[in-house]
Amino acid sequence: MATSNFVDYVKIFCRSGHGGPGSAHLRHAKSANKGGPDGGDGGRGGHVIVRGNAQYWTLIHLKFARHVFAENGEPGGKERSFGKDGKDQYIDVPLGTVVKDADTGEVIFEITQDGEEKILCKGGRGGQGNWHFKTATFQTPKFAQPGEDFVELTAIMELKVLADIGLVGFPNAGKSTLLSVVSAAKPEIGAYPFTTLVPNLGIVSYRDNKSFCIADIPGIIEGAAEGKGLGLRFLRHIERNSILLFVVSAESEDVLAEYKVLLNELKKYNPELLDKRRVLAISKADIIDEKGVAKIEKKLPADLPCVVFSSHSGFGLQALKDILWRELQEGNKE
């Protein structure tokens, strides 16, 4: 996911189609000079529909789609001829997109399945033709219903990346390097803060042709829940992950304290995130000796799946994948 191509937030003004008016036509023929009403119904206005599309992974195709208007329904005609329905307008979005009302901030719906369709703005109903209003005592109504009005809405679309595993850690903890060695993803890697500016997705191959998806979330810093650093922009992506993989560098002076800071940032952002299954992984084991590894392992919490690994030497990577797969299977049973 190149930085310039990843867009996870767009605002679009949407309008459905106006319903077509019904016809007030009165039938005229040589055999019936004073024929009765035969005005047809107007067509329905087009809907604005949001549709899930698994082929998309970003909202960049909507970046410049500031307005989306559906067609109006056509008016009814004589001889009870119904007007044509207005053409629906579809907005294709990647899976994991949340649609909100821009004015109220209220979540309207979420799209999580390929091909899933939700009506965002409902088209106006077509008006009824005058033949509907004929009665025994009122034989020639010369009026018909107008079409129902359109619906307007300014919608915000936010993408929350869908993945099995979400990598959580401070900048330069080794998350991007891990993703690059366990999958075919090629994230930007560098020895400076915020190398990762967009979420990166990678498919990890596992035993017996199994696989799972990992998302590298841009690094969190203390105060991220209040908007510091990259702030709230990417914390929302963590909400979609089944398992949270906390990555802490072996260079850290206090591995457990760093883990608790990360945990606290997630708690401040959304306490429900703490209900997710968690795994703690200590990266960069290649920079310490066996005694250093043993020293770190003694301090790791007993009630949490933990592993020490090195992306460069490969040490502990298979054990990490085994733990992640096991946690995913346990999570699926719940």
Side-chain angles (χ1 to χ4, degrees):
M1 293 184 182
T3 302
S4 60
N5 289 334
F6 186 82
V7 175
D8 61 355
Y9 179 100
V10 294
K11 184 184 289 187
I12 303 176
F13 178 75
C14 303
R15 180 192 295 162
S16 63
H18 198 295
S23 171
H25 187 267
L26 297 174
R27 185 164 60 92
H28 296 284
K30 289 182 179 180
S31 59
N33 189 37
K34 294 182 180 180
D38 70 345
D41 298 348
R44 172 184 62 78
H47 300 317
V48 176
I49 300 172
V50 181
R51 178 172 58 191
N53 189 329
Q55 299 303 311
Y56 288 110
W57 50 266
T58 172
L59 296 170
I60 191 170
H61 61 292
L62 301 175
K63 186 175 181 179
F64 301 107
R66 302 300 185 191
H67 301 89
V68 175
F69 297 153
E71 285 186 352
N72 294 330
E74 294 186 0
K78 61 183 179 180
E79 298 179 352
R80 297 191 186 183
S81 175
F82 285 15
K84 184 179 178 182
D85 289 344
K87 184 180 179 181
D88 297 330
Q89 281 288 350
Y90 286 87
I91 302 175
D92 282 339
V93 297
L95 310 187
T97 299
V98 178
V99 181
K100 299 180 179 179
D101 186 320
D103 295 326
T104 65
E106 178 186 359
V107 174
I108 303 172
F109 53 74
E110 303 178 16
I111 298 293
T112 58
Q113 301 293 326
D114 187 35
E116 179 181 4
E117 296 183 4
K118 299 278 190 180
I119 296 176
L120 180 59
C121 294
K122 191 173 183 179
R125 289 179 296 181
Q128 292 184 323
N130 61 348
W131 68 275
H132 287 280
F133 307 105
K134 178 182 177 181
T135 67
T137 57
F138 189 31
Q139 293 289 311
T140 56
K142 297 180 180 179
F143 60 87
Q145 276 186 333
E148 196 173 62
D149 208 356
F150 52 75
V151 175
E152 291 183 335
L153 176 72
T154 300
I156 290 173
M157 301 192 184
E158 289 182 349
L159 173 61
K160 296 181 181 181
V161 169
L162 285 167
D164 298 309
I165 314 291
L167 296 176
V168 182
F170 287 113
N172 296 331
K175 302 187 303 300
S176 296
T177 305
L178 172 61
L179 185 67
S180 70
V181 297
V182 297
S183 75
K186 302 299 177 186
E188 184 178 352
I189 299 170
Y192 51 90
F194 302 118
T195 304
T196 302
L197 297 176
V198 301
N200 291 289
L201 289 177
I203 303 299
V204 179
S205 296
Y206 189 60
R207 306 174 192 271
D208 302 322
N209 296 318
K210 299 183 180 73
S211 65
F212 53 88
C213 183
I214 286 187
D216 176 17
I217 310 298
I220 297 173
I221 66 170
E222 192 166 7
E226 285 82 37
K228 293 182 181 179
L230 296 178
L232 302 175
R233 182 178 176 191
F234 295 114
L235 277 173
R236 67 171 173 267
H237 293 297
I238 297 172
E239 294 178 318
R240 290 294 188 187
N241 307 139
S242 302
I243 309 291
L244 298 181
L245 174 57
F246 290 80
V247 180
V248 178
S249 172
E251 298 170 306
S252 173
E253 295 180 2
D254 192 332
V255 167
L256 209 53
E258 192 165 308
Y259 164 68
K260 288 179 180 178
V261 171
L262 291 168
L263 207 58
N264 189 50
E265 288 305 316
L266 298 191
K267 181 180 179 181
K268 286 191 288 185
Y269 172 68
N270 183 355
E272 293 181 4
L273 291 175
L274 301 191
D275 295 332
K276 291 181 177 292
R277 304 182 76 87
R278 303 192 296 270
V279 175
L280 176 58
I282 313 304
S283 64
K284 305 182 183 180
D286 54 284
I287 66 173
I288 55 177
D289 56 21
E290 291 184 7
K291 290 183 179 180
V293 171
K295 185 177 179 181
I296 289 176
E297 289 178 334
K298 285 182 180 179
K299 295 181 179 180
L300 297 178
D303 59 343
L304 185 70
C306 301
V307 63
V308 180
F309 75 95
S310 168
S311 296
H312 291 289
S313 69
F315 170 76
L317 285 180
Q318 187 58 53
L320 175 58
K321 289 195 282 187
D322 288 340
I323 289 173
L324 292 175
W325 182 259
R326 185 189 69 211
E327 290 299 307
L328 278 172
Q329 302 317 301
E330 290 296 321
N332 291 334
K333 294 176 183 178
E334 296 177 352

